[in-house]
């Protein structure tokens, strides 16, 4: 049996969910971001208890099929951009459609209706968040970041970053360094 959880985006969240399932006497077969497979069927009482316990951690148990689909899309994109060293070499639309087993137009329409933004906009926002992380780690230069996140060029990355953030990646990095230096002097 599968259980779907919203806002489950880190390893810490996975650990919390596993602990809560154990408390209810449920056994995990597999735990992924946003999705848990358990060995047994969950009773209504266990489901309500799990819902209440997860809420205390800011996690939401999903029941609505559209919400479950949206979380699957979001989780796939987050895993692809934030937890993978290489982005898929195929179109994102083909990758998402293939992985989820649904027509991309159906997925895109459902996502847009529920979230109010397109899948492509969600991908861009996550790529920019990843760029910000990689800039702060200071291990890769902009060319390497551009390549890792499958941008066609550094200029494309910079333009997209500026349109989302309002300033260039270089300015972002300078601002963060100034803020860190300021905090160190306090």
């Amino acid at each position: 049996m599968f259980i779907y959880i919203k806002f489950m985006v880190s390893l810490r969240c996975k650990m919390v969910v596993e602990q809560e399932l154990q408390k209810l006497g449920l056994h995990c077969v597999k735990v992924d971001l946003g999705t848990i497979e358990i060995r047994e069927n969950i009773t209504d009482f266990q489901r309500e208890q799990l819902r209440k316990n997860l809420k205390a951690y800011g996690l939401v148990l999903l029941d609505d099929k559209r919400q479950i689909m949206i979380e699957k899309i979001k989780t796939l994109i987050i895993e692809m951009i934030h937890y993978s060293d290489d982005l898929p070499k195929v179109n994102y639309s083909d990758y998402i459609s293939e992985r989820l087993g649904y027509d991309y137009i159906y997925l895109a329409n459902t996502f847009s209706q529920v979230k109010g933004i397109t899948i492509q906009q969600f991908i861009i926002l996550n790529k920019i968040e990843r760029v910000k992380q990689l800039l702060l780690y200071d291990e890769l230069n902009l060319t390497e970041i551009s390549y890792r996140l499958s941008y066609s060029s550094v200029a494309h990355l910079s333009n997209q970053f500026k349109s989302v953030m309002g300033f260039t990646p270089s300015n972002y990095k300078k601002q963060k360094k100034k803020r860190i230096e300021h905090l160190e002097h306090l």
Side-chain angles (χ1 to χ4, degrees):
M1 172 176 218
F2 288 93
I3 298 173
Y4 300 96
I5 300 172
K6 187 174 182 176
F7 305 125
M8 188 176 162
V9 295
S10 69
L11 295 175
R12 186 167 181 238
C13 292
K14 286 170 128 179
M15 290 173 30
V16 164
V17 170
E18 286 175 332
Q19 289 170 354
E20 292 303 322
L21 289 169
Q22 284 175 353
K23 288 179 190 176
L24 295 170
L26 299 169
H27 302 90
C28 295
V29 173
K30 186 177 180 185
V31 179
D32 288 320
L33 295 178
T35 308
I36 294 89
E37 184 178 359
I38 58 173
R39 211 178 298 151
E40 40 295 281
N41 287 327
I42 189 168
T43 67
D44 290 341
F45 174 78
Q46 288 171 320
R47 180 175 289 283
E48 275 314 302
Q49 194 61 47
L50 181 60
R51 181 183 317 283
K52 190 168 75 172
N53 294 352
L54 292 177
K55 188 175 181 180
Y57 294 100
L59 301 172
V60 177
L61 191 62
L62 296 174
D63 295 318
D64 177 79
K65 291 187 185 301
R66 284 172 30 126
Q67 281 292 69
I68 290 170
M69 179 59 65
I70 298 310
E71 286 307 307
K72 285 181 179 180
I73 294 167
K74 287 171 52 181
T75 298
L76 183 61
I77 292 168
I78 289 167
E79 286 176 342
M80 176 178 68
I81 293 171
H82 294 275
Y83 299 106
S84 174
D85 287 337
D86 292 317
L87 294 179
K89 300 302 179 209
V90 296
N91 288 340
Y92 293 129
S93 57
D94 293 339
Y95 179 77
I96 292 167
S97 179
E98 182 182 308
R99 289 286 306 273
L100 297 178
Y102 287 94
D103 177 68
Y104 183 76
I105 293 171
Y106 166 74
L107 295 172
N109 287 338
T110 302
F111 192 90
S112 294
Q113 288 169 357
V114 173
K115 297 301 293 173
I117 63 171
T118 66
I119 289 176
Q120 187 60 32
Q121 289 168 322
F122 187 77
I123 289 170
I124 290 168
L125 292 173
N126 274 275
K127 285 176 81 171
I128 296 305
E129 282 305 309
R130 185 69 177 135
V131 170
K132 288 165 48 179
Q133 289 173 347
L134 292 171
L135 286 171
L136 292 179
Y137 294 155
D138 211 19
E139 294 172 5
L140 302 173
N141 63 37
L142 215 47
T143 303
E144 293 165 324
I145 293 171
S146 171
Y147 178 78
R148 178 176 277 184
L149 293 177
S150 299
Y151 280 96
S152 58
S153 66
V154 173
H156 180 216
L157 181 155
S158 295
N159 288 335
Q160 199 169 72
F161 191 97
K162 186 172 183 178
S163 73
V164 170
M165 297 298 297
F167 40 83
T168 66
S170 305
N171 287 343
Y172 173 79
K173 196 171 179 177
K174 287 176 189 172
Q175 286 177 343
K176 286 297 178 183
K177 280 188 177 181
K178 283 181 184 176
R179 190 173 292 151
I180 290 169
E181 289 171 2
H182 175 73
L183 291 173
E184 288 173 350
H185 292 301
L186 294 178

